[in-house]
């Protein structure tokens, strides 16, 4: 072993050790929630759980309620880049404005070891003063409909998740507290009744299609509803009476001609439509049984206290002026009713006939001279779709995007990167499928390769943040164990697309194509080494026996990381700093000096010996190499003379993936295609030189054995 070889081995081992211990491995300690509250609102003297939802803490300054605090994990569990949800402490004031938002726990690799956490807190500080129901986007320009906050370079996906967690949880909590309107109560465009068509229909037909709805209550059902209350045992039915009906209740919406005219008859329907003003609606209520839905309260106070309408969370009561006697009904096959009424829903209630509503029947039982217990029994009504139309809601592109899952929003925002990445992958596939034609033009092929490596470094790496990592592999394996979710991997479109492509490439060509063409750090090393060669920097080759043994290092690192990840993914992510990808590519060397020094040392070694890290230390390369034996294609051509007697290609292979016997080790190959350019070059490949000269001199005739010329290897 030469002196330089020993130095290379020692440097590799020392750099590997330095990478493994560069990051602290202590457990992440979240900031105490009470400290955040004290810092944001020093006047708070008492914190107590809210009655009805203990996840919300009420903040008091003396006896005055001044705000609310909660942890986002109790309300929103959106997975972040790591696949695990964030926990953010959010404080709202009594008007629904955000007082502060502070990330108290996360598992993001880029923030655990990478971007200073202070920058994340600077990002969340932008939410101070925003209303809980405002629309907030990361990046872009603020408008009257939305507020744009500045992103965080290198952690785009993470801050988009932070934005969703803060605003979605804030809106949910503020709506529960009544500080903003709930999204669940948001109304669709008002339905329009189909008034022009009429069809003769029987009572059974109307009942069957849902135009008439029924609620039948037995005495036993009502008795059971009062169990556990003060009215238990009051007016109870005898055992033999439990199955007797207390009330058999029906309701129908009358504005639709097919329903109204069939039930009321022509003259009564025309009278009703003449009574209704714009925006008013009529329903029929009919019943049999001992219990009256009208009662007698409306006589004394003018309000019907046994029936009401509920829609969108609002209730509509009926007064005596909203009531009309229903004298007769005309639908064929309709039973006789002991009690019938028409109720008018007035305009101020903004009733939507196309949205589900409920007729609530209240049953009261007296427990004392002034005390009583109530139970409410709902009769749900949904007008059949054929009787109404609803205009499509007017939504902007931003409105539609805001309703999509987080990963869809991220893909939309990174549309340009996805398109350009797709074009690049298409170009690479063209190169691979037409490689035999391209390598016959060595100058053009080298220009194409250097151009593609430049694209990989600058676009895929530094711009689109598309550097794959062993952390991705460990996260995938961990998700298979703990619970797989596509959302975890779809959250970053560039990484997802690259992994999808890499999976296909490994099955077709092995790991070589990714390491040689799509890895940004690999591209950085190769381009720097090419520049070094142009500047006449001396190049050193590791002796093959030593080189062959150094391959094992990356597999050992992979096994260590995998074993640690089974116990603690967070620790494995810190140990994965053996990869300089985050420093050199994701953060563009904007990092503390130990990490930058480690990455720079690897690049300096690369100036003298190409891709030292990739060949001996990269755990990602090791992980990709393992399934390479399953590849479909062996498109790198060899001759019977390769290795014996000709060894030109194995001496020229910069990553020493060609064994002395001439065969290519696909688990170590980077698919640079240099050997293929030699293979097809009849001025460089010795067997082809012999063949060309033999044709010219006639030595290919019988009796003239071919000779392989000696070619000096520089």
């Amino acid at each position: 072993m030469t002196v330089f070889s020993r130095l290379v081995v020692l440097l590799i081992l020392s750099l590997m050790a330095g990478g493994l211990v560069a990051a602290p491995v202590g457990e992440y300690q979240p900031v105490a929630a009470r400290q955040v509250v004290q810092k944001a609102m020093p006047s708070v003297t008492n914190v107590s759980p809210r009655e009805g939802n203990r996840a919300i803490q009420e903040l008091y300054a003396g006896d005055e309620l001044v705000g609310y605090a909660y942890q986002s994990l109790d309300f929103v569990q959106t997975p972040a880049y790591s696949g695990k949800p964030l926990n953010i402490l959010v404080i709202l004031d009594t008007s629904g404005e955000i007082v502060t938002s502070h990330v108290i726990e996360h598992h993001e690799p880029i923030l655990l070891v990478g971007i200073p956490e202070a920058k994340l807190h600077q990002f969340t500080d932008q939410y101070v003063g925003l209303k809980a129901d405002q629309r907030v986007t990361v990046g872009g320009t603020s408008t009257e409909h939305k507020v744009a906050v500045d992103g965080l370079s290198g952690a785009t996906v993470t801050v988009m998740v932070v934005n969703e967690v803060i605003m979605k949880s804030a809106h949910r909590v503020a709506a529960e507290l009544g500080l903003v309107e709930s999204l669940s109560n948001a109304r669709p465009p008002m339905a329009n009744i189909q008034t022009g068509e009429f069809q003769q229909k029987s009572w059974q037909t109307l009942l069957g299609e849902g135009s008439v709805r029924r609620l039948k209550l037995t005495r036993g059902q009502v008795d059971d509803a009062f169990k556990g209350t003060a009215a238990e045992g009051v007016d109870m039915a005898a055992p033999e009476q439990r199955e007797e009906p207390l009330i058999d209740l029906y309701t129908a919406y009358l504005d639709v001609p097919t329903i109204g005219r069939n039930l009321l008859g022509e003259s009564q329907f025309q009278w009703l439509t003449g009574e209704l003003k714009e925006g008013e609606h009529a329903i029929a209520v009919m019943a049999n049984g001992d219990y009256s839905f009208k009662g007698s309260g409306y006589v004394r106070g003018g309000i019907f206290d046994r029936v009401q309408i509920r829609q969108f969370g609002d209730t509509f009561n009926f007064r005596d002026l909203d009531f009309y006697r229903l004298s007769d009904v005309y639908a064929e096959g309709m039973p006789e009713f002991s009690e019938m009424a028409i109720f008018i829903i007035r305009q101020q209630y903004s009733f939507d006939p196309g949205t589900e509503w409920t007729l609530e029947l209240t049953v009261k039982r007296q427990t004392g001279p002034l005390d009583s217990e109530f139970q409410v029994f709902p009769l749900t009504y949904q007008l059949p779709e054929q009787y109404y139309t609803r205009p499509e809601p007017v939504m902007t592109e931003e409105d539609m995007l805001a309703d999509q899952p987080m990963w869809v929003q991220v893909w939309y925002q990174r549309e340009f990167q996805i398109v350009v990445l797709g074009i690049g992958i298409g170009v690479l596939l063209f190169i691979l499928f037409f490689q035999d034609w391209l390598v016959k033009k060595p100058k053009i092929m080298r220009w194409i390769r250097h151009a593609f490596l430049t694209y990989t470094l600058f676009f895929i790496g530094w711009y689109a943040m598309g550097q794959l990592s062993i952390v991705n592999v460990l996260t995938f394996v961990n998700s298979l164990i703990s619970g797989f979710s596509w959302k975890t991997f779809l959250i970053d479109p560039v990484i997802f697309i690259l992994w999808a492509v890499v999976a296909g490439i490994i099955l077709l060509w092995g790991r070589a194509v990714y390491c040689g063409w799509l890895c940004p750090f690999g591209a950085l090393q190769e381009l720097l080494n090419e520049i070094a060669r142009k500047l006449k920097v001396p190049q050193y080759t590791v002796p093959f026996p030593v080189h062959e043994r150094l391959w094992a290092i990356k597999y050992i690192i992979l096994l260590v990381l995998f074993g640690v990840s089974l116990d603690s993914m967070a620790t494995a992510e810190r140990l994965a700093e053996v990869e300089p990808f985050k420093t050199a590519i994701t953060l563009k060397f904007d990092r503390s000096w130990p990490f930058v020094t480690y990455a720079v040392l690897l690049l300096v070694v690369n100036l003298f010996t190409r891709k030292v890290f990739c060949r001996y230390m990269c755990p990602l390369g090791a992980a990709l190499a393992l399934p390479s034996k399953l590849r479909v294609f062996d498109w790198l051509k060899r001759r019977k003379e390769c290795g014996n007697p000709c060894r030109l290609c194995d001496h020229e292979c910069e990553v020493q993936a060609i064994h002395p016997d001439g065969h290519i080790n696909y688990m170590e190959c980077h698919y640079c295609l240099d050997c293929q350019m030699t293979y097809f070059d009849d001025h460089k490949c010795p067997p082809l030189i012999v063949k060309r000269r033999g044709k010219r001199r006639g030595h290919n005739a019988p009796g003239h054995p071919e000779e392989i010329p000696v070619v000096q290897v520089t």
Side-chain angles (χ1 to χ4, degrees):
M1 183 185 295
T2 65
V3 174
F4 179 77
S5 299
R6 292 190 181 96
L7 289 174
V8 168
V9 174
L10 289 173
L11 184 57
I12 290 171
L13 295 174
S14 63
L15 289 178
M16 181 186 71
L20 288 173
V21 301
V25 295
E27 288 297 321
Y28 176 73
Q29 297 295 329
V31 180
R34 56 183 176 79
Q35 294 177 346
V36 179
V37 173
Q38 290 172 357
K39 182 178 179 181
M41 303 184 77
S43 62
V44 171
T45 57
N46 183 35
V47 179
S48 62
R50 177 177 173 80
E51 186 178 350
N53 189 344
R54 298 180 65 84
I56 302 173
Q57 304 291 318
E58 295 180 332
L59 310 179
Y60 289 90
D63 295 331
E64 181 186 359
L65 178 64
V66 294
Y68 306 90
Y70 66 89
Q71 296 186 38
S72 64
L73 208 54
D74 292 322
F75 298 93
V76 177
Q77 295 82 37
T78 303
Y81 187 80
S82 63
K84 299 177 182 178
L86 305 161
N87 195 15
I88 304 175
L89 180 76
V90 181
I91 299 177
L92 302 175
D93 65 16
T94 53
S95 66
E97 285 189 3
I98 298 174
V99 176
T100 191
S101 56
H102 194 94
V103 178
I104 59 175
E105 186 177 6
H106 69 81
H107 303 272
E108 299 301 274
I110 194 68
L111 295 168
L112 288 174
V113 188
I115 296 174
E117 200 160 282
K119 290 189 176 181
L120 178 62
H121 298 320
Q122 291 172 7
F123 172 79
T124 57
D125 286 344
Q126 298 178 89
Y127 291 82
V128 175
L130 297 182
K131 193 79 171 175
D133 59 354
Q134 282 187 274
R135 176 172 295 167
V136 181
T137 61
V138 177
T141 306
S142 296
T143 67
E144 60 179 341
H145 301 295
K146 70 170 184 175
V147 176
V149 295
D150 296 328
L152 181 56
S153 179
T156 305
V157 172
T158 298
V159 295
M160 289 186 70
V161 175
V162 170
N163 173 66
E164 177 173 286
V165 169
I166 291 175
M167 296 312 300
K168 183 175 287 187
S169 65
H171 191 282
R172 186 173 298 178
V173 171
E176 182 175 332
L177 296 169
L179 306 179
V180 299
E181 184 180 353
S182 173
L183 287 176
S184 61
N185 293 335
R187 301 191 175 203
M190 187 69 71
N192 298 316
I193 297 301
Q194 299 277 40
T195 58
E197 296 182 3
F198 170 76
Q199 289 181 320
Q200 191 76 36
K201 292 188 177 181
S202 67
W203 172 262
Q204 287 300 325
T205 302
L206 293 173
L207 192 63
E209 70 181 15
S211 297
V212 178
R213 300 293 174 105
R214 180 188 189 188
L215 172 66
K216 183 178 182 180
L217 291 176
T218 65
R219 293 180 180 275
Q221 287 175 315
V222 176
D223 288 343
D224 292 342
F226 281 100
K227 284 184 178 180
T229 71
E232 183 176 358
V234 176
D235 296 336
M236 280 190 67
E240 66 274 10
Q241 296 177 325
R242 282 182 58 83
E243 297 304 319
E244 293 181 4
L246 179 68
I247 185 171
D248 193 5
L249 184 70
Y250 295 81
T251 189
Y253 179 74
L254 298 176
D255 290 36
V256 175
T258 299
I259 303 174
R261 283 177 59 183
N262 277 303
L263 291 178
L264 304 181
E266 179 65 31
S267 60
Q268 198 170 196
F269 179 73
Q270 293 299 332
W271 163 82
L272 178 62
T273 55
E275 289 290 318
L276 293 177
K277 298 183 177 63
E278 184 177 355
E280 293 183 340
H281 306 267
I283 65 169
V285 181
M286 301 154 284
N288 282 317
D290 295 335
Y291 190 77
S292 169
F293 66 79
K294 290 189 293 185
S296 58
Y298 75 99
V299 178
R300 298 189 302 271
I303 297 178
F304 289 84
D305 59 356
R306 293 189 179 185
V307 288
Q308 65 179 11
I309 298 290
R310 183 180 295 274
Q311 188 181 59
F312 298 115
D314 299 324
T315 56
F316 318 146
N317 295 107
F318 298 112
R319 304 186 68 86
D320 51 359
L321 296 177
D322 304 325
F323 164 69
Y324 290 100
R325 294 181 184 276
L326 180 54
S327 58
D328 201 359
V329 287
Y330 295 88
E332 179 187 347
M334 178 184 158
E336 293 185 4
F337 291 106
S338 60
E339 194 173 37
M340 297 185 293
I342 295 175
F343 290 107
I344 307 300
I345 303 173
R346 300 300 179 184
Q347 183 181 18
Q348 65 265 26
Y349 295 125
S350 299
F351 178 78
D352 184 356
T355 299
E356 183 180 272
W357 52 273
T358 303
L359 177 67
E360 295 183 340
L361 175 69
T362 301
V363 178
K364 181 175 71 170
R365 286 188 174 174
Q366 204 75 25
T367 57
L370 299 176
D371 298 322
S372 56
E373 289 287 335
F374 300 88
Q375 290 295 333
V376 175
F377 300 90
L379 170 55
T380 302
Y381 187 95
Q382 172 64 62
L383 184 66
E385 292 184 354
Q386 66 264 30
Y387 296 131
Y388 70 92
T389 59
R390 193 186 298 279
E392 290 294 327
V394 179
M395 296 181 68
T396 64
E397 190 174 10
E398 289 182 352
D399 294 329
M400 292 185 286
L401 185 61
D403 292 335
Q404 298 298 320
M406 168 58 66
W407 70 268
V408 176
Q409 298 181 42
V410 175
W411 281 63
Y412 181 84
Q413 291 194 6
R414 301 183 71 177
E415 181 180 13
F416 171 75
Q417 297 177 12
I418 293 170
V419 171
V420 177
L421 178 62
I423 293 173
I425 291 171
V427 170
L428 177 59
L429 292 176
F430 175 85
I431 293 170
L432 294 175
F433 279 104
F434 293 93
Q435 64 182 48
D436 289 351
W437 174 67
L438 290 171
V439 295
K440 293 176 182 178
K441 304 169 177 58
K443 290 184 179 179
I444 295 176
M445 185 63 216
R446 287 193 175 90
W447 182 90
I448 291 174
R449 176 160 173 77
H450 292 155
F452 197 92
L453 291 176
T454 303
Y455 158 83
T456 297
L457 174 61
F458 283 89
F459 178 79
I460 295 180
W462 284 338
Y463 179 75
M465 304 294 178
Q467 174 69 65
L468 302 187
S469 166
I470 189 61
V471 174
N472 304 136
V473 178
L474 299 178
T475 300
F476 177 76
V477 174
N478 190 262
S479 73
L480 294 178
I481 298 172
S482 60
F484 181 81
S485 172
W486 279 111
K487 293 180 181 179
T488 301
F489 303 96
L490 287 167
I491 197 71
D492 190 329
V494 173
I495 296 295
F496 180 83
I497 292 171
L498 281 172
W499 271 116
V501 171
V502 168
I505 283 176
I506 287 176
L507 291 176
L508 296 177
W509 294 281
R511 60 87 75 130
V513 175
Y514 173 75
C515 295
W517 293 83
L518 290 172
C519 176
F521 188 73
L524 174 61
Q525 290 180 94
E526 185 162 338
L527 291 172
L528 286 176
N529 185 266
E530 287 291 333
I531 294 172
R533 289 168 183 269
K534 295 292 183 183
L535 298 177
K536 307 298 183 183
V537 174
Q539 301 295 304
Y540 298 93
T541 301
V542 180
F544 194 83
V546 178
H547 163 72
E548 196 172 26
R549 284 157 179 79
L550 291 177
W551 286 342
I553 295 175
K554 61 177 176 282
Y555 295 100
I556 294 172
I557 296 174
L558 173 64
L559 287 174
V560 170
L561 291 176
F562 177 70
V564 172
S565 72
L566 296 178
D567 178 64
S568 171
M569 190 64 195
T571 303
E573 288 168 354
R574 292 184 175 91
L575 294 179
E577 285 298 321
V578 69
E579 296 177 327
F581 304 157
K582 191 183 299 179
T583 301
I585 303 300
T586 306
L587 299 176
K588 306 180 184 72
F589 297 98
D590 182 14
R591 207 175 180 190
S592 57
W593 70 266
F595 297 100
V596 174
T597 302
Y598 171 61
V600 170
L601 280 174
L602 287 174
L603 294 174
V604 169
V605 172
N606 169 75
L607 297 177
F608 301 93
T609 301
R610 180 173 287 190
K611 289 190 169 183
V612 168
F613 173 80
C614 299
R615 292 154 67 182
Y616 308 129
M617 296 173 61
C618 181
L620 176 63
L624 298 180
L626 293 176
S628 291
K629 291 183 177 295
L630 301 175
R631 69 188 183 280
V632 175
F633 301 136
D634 285 334
W635 283 1
L636 299 181
K637 295 178 172 58
R638 310 302 291 146
R639 302 184 191 279
K640 63 181 180 180
E641 296 89 354
C642 293
N644 183 23
C646 179
R647 295 190 58 192
L648 178 61
C649 288
D650 90 76
H651 285 297
E652 284 190 338
C653 181
E654 302 295 349
V655 296
Q656 295 176 266
I658 301 178
H659 284 245
D661 63 5
H663 87 272
I664 297 173
N665 185 345
Y666 275 85
M667 295 179 71
E668 302 300 326
C669 175
H670 287 194
Y671 222 86
C672 65
L673 297 178
D674 283 353
C675 62
Q676 299 304 287
M677 286 185 272
T678 299
Y679 179 92
F680 286 102
D681 190 344
D682 62 2
H683 289 81
K684 189 175 182 181
C685 177
L688 287 186
I689 293 174
V690 170
K691 186 176 181 179
R692 178 174 53 82
R693 289 176 178 175
K695 286 182 178 180
R696 187 176 63 208
R697 298 173 184 174
H699 284 185
N700 56 340
H704 293 275
E706 294 182 352
E707 297 177 352
I708 296 179
V710 175
V711 178
Q712 183 177 359
V713 178
T714 58

